[in-house]
Amino acid sequence: MTITDVARAAGVSVATVSKVVNARYGVAPSTVEKVMAVVNELGYETSLIASSLRRSRTNVIGVLVTEFEPYSAELLKGIGAAAHGTGYELLAHSGWVDQAPPIGWERRSLSRLAGTLIDGAILVTPTAVTADTPIPVVAIDPHTGRGGPSTVDADNVGGARAAVEHLISLGHRRIAHLRGRVDLESSYRREEGYRRCLEKAGIPFDPSLVLDGDYRREVGRTSAIDLLDRTERPTAIFAANDLSALGALDAARELGIDVPRELSIVGFDDIPESTATAPRLTTIAQPLRQMGATALRMLVEQLNGQESGTRHEHLRSELVIRESTAPPPAA
């Protein structure tokens, strides 16, 4: 017997039967009762439908993000490509609520979706440690806490060092930093790379040159205006991600500061928007689609019983030089 036979006997669509046997939402209780009555009446104990019910599996993987923005969109492309042939479908879910910052969105989302809609989840830039979850989880750009799930990220320290080394090689000495979200490991690692590079070059660290960028364009713009409106302003800015770097470009335009003749800017991520601005942004490229694909494969291995315990994958990052960096203006 097939799912089509069940649908015909119950007088409903195949899609409705699929929702019922996979315990998904969107079906009236009376319809659920009717479909399950047909399953029981016709004795499908050995059928694929009954097997699915016993296993409580949906064969759906959730990709949970705070919001759909350029960084998560690139990850989703990699996740989607890697999902082909695995037998799993994808459900992209935004956990954004009217709250700033949206702390705990991933826990709320997992409580809604785990077990009934998704078998496992990929969390993108989670705001909290999710060590105890009802389903397998892989985090991309993980939280700073310990004891969390398996993770995927890029070489944040090495990428930051490459960015600052590039600026120093051009002759910059007064280099500011727009740091990322304070709850993410990547933010601390990128600031660590920035500080290490200054120390290696013999440039004293100036804490007044480090302001929040929060991985958001508007926050980066506000902090950059603060930096650039000073009497002794920096000649270069290393931003912890491309969105805050684009915010720094916005600030420079507002203040009439030429980039790169008067100010150099370097970002981190290499999102598509980094090449859609003028000047095009020098940045540290993370292999975002590869990161998404790696997370998907790690999660599938957990779901299929091929992997136990936690894994932490670190992928390479590299400097991409474009038009937003140049030697500092002559004294």
Side-chain angles (χ1 to χ4, degrees):
M1 303 297 289
T2 68
I3 194 171
T4 303
D5 299 320
V6 175
R8 185 181 300 113
V12 298
S13 68
V14 169
T16 297
V17 175
S18 177
K19 288 182 179 180
V20 171
V21 299
N22 286 296
R24 298 180 187 174
Y25 67 92
V27 182
S30 59
T31 303
V32 172
E33 184 177 350
K34 180 167 62 174
V35 170
M36 292 308 301
V38 171
V39 169
N40 294 329
E41 179 186 350
L42 298 183
Y44 286 159
E45 286 79 4
T46 60
S47 71
L48 290 175
I49 292 175
S51 175
S52 174
L53 288 171
R54 287 195 300 271
R55 289 185 293 113
S56 298
R57 292 287 294 270
T58 67
N59 285 87
V60 176
I61 288 173
V63 185
L64 311 186
V65 301
T66 310
E67 58 183 323
F68 296 111
E69 37 72 41
Y71 176 84
S72 60
E74 288 301 296
L75 293 171
L76 277 165
K77 292 174 185 176
I79 293 168
H84 289 301
T86 64
Y88 288 92
E89 300 176 14
L90 297 179
L91 172 68
H93 173 82
S94 171
W96 176 262
V97 293
D98 218 4
Q99 176 184 346
I103 302 299
W105 64 266
E106 60 287 298
R107 288 177 175 168
R108 291 191 299 272
S109 298
L110 285 171
S111 69
R112 293 191 188 106
L113 304 177
T116 56
L117 290 178
I118 60 176
D119 294 334
I122 297 172
L123 304 181
V124 179
T125 61
T127 63
V129 177
T130 53
D132 299 320
T133 60
I135 57 175
V137 165
V138 174
I140 298 178
D141 196 355
H143 188 270
T144 55
R146 297 181 179 180
S150 295
T151 63
V152 179
D153 63 8
D155 182 2
N156 292 299
V157 174
R161 292 182 65 173
V164 181
E165 284 172 357
H166 170 60
L167 292 170
I168 292 173
S169 72
L170 292 172
H172 293 277
R173 292 295 180 270
R174 190 162 175 78
I175 303 170
H177 177 49
L178 298 178
R179 59 189 167 202
R181 266 176 44 188
V182 296
D183 60 323
L184 292 180
E185 188 71 18
S186 59
S187 301
Y188 289 92
R189 298 287 78 84
R190 292 171 197 180
E191 184 174 349
E192 177 186 345
Y194 161 78
R195 295 180 66 158
R196 278 193 199 176
C197 198
L198 294 180
E199 181 181 5
K200 181 180 177 182
I203 300 173
F205 171 68
D206 182 351
S208 71
L209 292 178
V210 178
L211 296 180
D212 289 333
D214 198 40
Y215 287 163
R216 303 183 72 83
R217 186 165 186 161
E218 184 56 32
V219 179
R221 171 189 164 276
T222 300
S223 293
I225 288 176
D226 183 336
L227 290 165
L228 299 175
D229 206 27
R230 300 176 184 179
T231 302
E232 190 178 2
R233 70 189 187 206
T235 63
I237 295 175
F238 165 51
N241 79 332
D242 284 348
L243 286 179
S244 51
L246 293 173
L249 274 172
D250 295 338
R253 291 191 194 98
E254 288 182 37
L255 297 175
I257 297 172
D258 184 270
V259 177
R261 188 174 62 83
E262 297 176 277
L263 174 71
S264 288
I265 299 175
V266 180
F268 203 116
D269 283 342
D270 198 26
I271 59 175
E273 285 77 359
S274 65
T275 61
T277 187
R280 297 188 307 157
L281 187 66
T282 294
T283 189
I284 300 298
Q286 292 194 83
L288 297 178
R289 297 191 188 186
Q290 184 183 351
M291 289 165 64
T294 299
L296 186 284
R297 286 191 290 268
M298 289 169 62
L299 184 57
V300 168
E301 288 172 2
Q302 291 185 45
L303 290 169
N304 293 344
Q306 300 166 303
E307 180 71 33
S308 59
T310 57
R311 282 171 53 194
H312 304 287
E313 294 288 337
H314 304 279
L315 306 184
R316 287 188 58 190
S317 56
E318 60 180 341
L319 175 68
V320 179
I321 300 174
R322 298 195 180 105
E323 293 87 31
S324 67
T325 51

